[in-house]
Amino acid sequence: MRIGFVCYPTFGGSGVVATELGKALAAKGHELHFITYSEPARMGSLKSNMFFHEVRVSNYPLFDFQPYELVLTSKMVEVAIKHRLDLLHVHYAIPHASAAVMARAILASKGHHLPIVTTLHGTDITLLGKDPAFEPVISYAINQSDAVTAVSESLKSDTLKLFGCQNQTIDFIPNFICPAQYKGTPDEELRRHIAPQGQPILTHISNFRPVKRLDDVLKIFIEVRKKIPAKLLLVGDGPERSRVEKAAEEMGYRDDVIFIGKIKNPIEPLRISDLFLLPSATESFGLAALEAMASGVPVVASNTGGLPEVIEHGVSGFLHDVGDIESMAQSAMSVLDNPSYLAQFKAQAIQHSERFNIANILPRYEAIYARLVPTEKQSPA
Ligand code: GMT
């Protein structure tokens, strides 16, 4: 099939999922067209059946705000016609789903049929979706999509609760990992650089937004650090970074908290980590937690949203109420203090992550595509 993929090209989970899914579909022989404002962060080298179409918004002096959604819509129309797309798969509802609905209408007026699959990722529903500034448009776009998927049962149920999805069924398809990507040996030099005395390394990776509760990450670490000479590795960047950096310094932990900023591939820091912290306020799935598990790193996380669908308490990590720093720190210490218990959790985390092998997930997306594009209309893969 010829498939258009629309996503955020950044380091956020939805862009990563879209890019990895697109790459896997291309590897199976589908033709993939990524339509977004810059090359997706995890895209890697281009293959003969993978294309990137840049959405460029020009700076017209009249506009205080550049109309990205309109330019994106026009690009979708252009790519769909030029490359005879069979289907458009958009990741993250805002503004991708509403732009796709508009593109589909324009194409229909020109005699082209282009079904839309919308994948909901989380904050497009749980945070922004509640905002009256977006709600009517998201609701319309979801109901108008030809198929809608959600990355967890929790997100599916939130969507049904928040939006009147009268005419819409939502397919739950979990996020996934490609296990082979996570195999490999840790970079010992990097580990020595972060923890010169072989201290345990606790890691957090995110886009440092308030929803990630960076203060809790720091507080959990400090509780652990009082008893164990551990290090905290913070990977990523975002609005909370400067504040947390300052807080770590003021609390006297400047040398124990290491910020390494945004990196393209989080697997290197994960391979040298002993524990992953994800105490988010809400998390529709928690791809970072799954990537940690696949790298053999158990996770201490909030018992919220889709996280209990990913992490099994007492097996691949620990789940506690949002904000329960004391229990999270206790759980962290229970494994860090006991090497054989930690080794057991590491092995279980890998084992557990294999349930999310892309090999099992990809056919579920392909089944939806096949439902929307009748066989006789499908372009040869
Ligand atoms: O919150 C993020 O880290 C980014 C955000 C995104 O849209 O890129 O992540 C959401 O989608 C991910 C991929 O499906 C999920 O794994 C994250 O749990 C979800 N984030 C939240 O729900 C807060």
Side-chain angles (χ1 to χ4, degrees), residues 294-307:
S295 310
V297 186
V299 182
V300 175
S302 307
N303 191 4
T304 183
L307 286 169

Side-chain angles (χ1 to χ4, degrees), residues 12-15 17 92 120-123 126-127 151 175 206-207 209 211-212 282-288:
S14 62
V17 168
Y92 208 86
L120 306 173
H121 280 274
T123 44
T126 53
L127 297 182
V151 299
N175 288 335
S206 78
N207 43 23
R209 285 178 301 157
V211 70
K212 302 293 173 181
T282 170
E283 202 69 63
S284 74
F285 183 88
L287 183 66

Side-chain angles (χ1 to χ4, degrees), residues 93-136:
I94 304 165
H96 302 154
S98 44
V101 169
M102 169 78 118
R104 186 184 58 190
I106 297 171
L107 286 160
S109 74
K110 296 173 187 285
H112 298 271
H113 173 65
L114 188 70
I116 307 162
V117 179
T118 296
T119 290
L120 306 173
H121 280 274
T123 44
D124 45 353
I125 298 301
T126 53
L127 297 182
L128 296 170
K130 291 179 193 158
D131 185 340
F134 294 113
E135 192 278 329

Side-chain angles (χ1 to χ4, degrees), residues 156-203:
K156 175 177 169 176
S157 106
D158 282 343
T159 309
L160 293 172
K161 242 181 277 155
L162 287 167
F163 301 97
C165 298
Q166 316 86 350
N167 316 315
Q168 194 57 272
T169 51
I170 298 178
D171 287 285
F172 150 61
I173 306 184
N175 288 335
F176 51 81
I177 38 124
C178 314
Q181 288 181 0
Y182 299 86
K183 305 216 184 324
T185 46
D187 179 339
E188 290 305 331
E189 203 183 311
L190 178 64
R191 194 204 293 272
R192 270 195 304 278
H193 174 69
I194 306 292
Q197 272 87 48
Q199 299 95 326
I201 301 173
L202 289 82
T203 298

Side-chain angles (χ1 to χ4, degrees), residues 32-79:
L32 259 290
H33 293 265
F34 287 93
I35 307 170
T36 181
Y37 58 83
S38 69
E39 187 183 313
R42 292 253 190 124
M43 183 109 151
S45 55
L46 280 177
K47 307 278 179 312
S48 58
N49 54 347
M50 259 166 69
F51 302 87
F52 162 53
H53 306 273
E54 188 179 3
V55 181
R56 297 179 69 154
V57 186
S58 51
N59 262 335
Y60 187 61
L62 181 69
F63 298 145
D64 282 338
F65 305 100
Q66 307 308 322
Y68 178 71
E69 187 167 350
L70 297 187
V71 185
L72 172 65
T73 305
S74 296
K75 189 55 101 181
M76 289 175 182
V77 171
E78 177 198 314
V79 175

Side-chain angles (χ1 to χ4, degrees), residues 10 57 64 103 109 174 186 214 226 229 235 241 252 258 284 288 290 309 327 335 358 381:
T10 51
V57 186
D64 282 338
S109 74
L214 263 297
K226 285 177 188 164
V235 184
R241 177 169 170 178
I258 299 110
S284 74
L290 178 59
E309 297 173 43
S327 302
V335 281
I358 191 165

Side-chain angles (χ1 to χ4, degrees), residues 193-250:
H193 174 69
I194 306 292
Q197 272 87 48
Q199 299 95 326
I201 301 173
L202 289 82
T203 298
H204 169 81
I205 303 178
S206 78
N207 43 23
F208 287 50
R209 285 178 301 157
V211 70
K212 302 293 173 181
R213 294 180 70 98
L214 263 297
D215 291 319
D216 288 8
V217 172
L218 190 58
K219 286 180 191 157
I220 296 163
F221 171 72
I222 291 173
E223 286 308 303
V224 172
R225 181 66 190 85
K226 285 177 188 164
K227 308 258 165 56
I228 299 172
K231 295 284 180 178
L232 176 63
L233 180 56
L234 293 172
V235 184
D237 212 327
E240 296 282 273
R241 177 169 170 178
S242 316
R243 202 179 55 72
V244 176
E245 216 161 348
K246 196 160 167 248
E249 197 167 335
E250 283 171 0

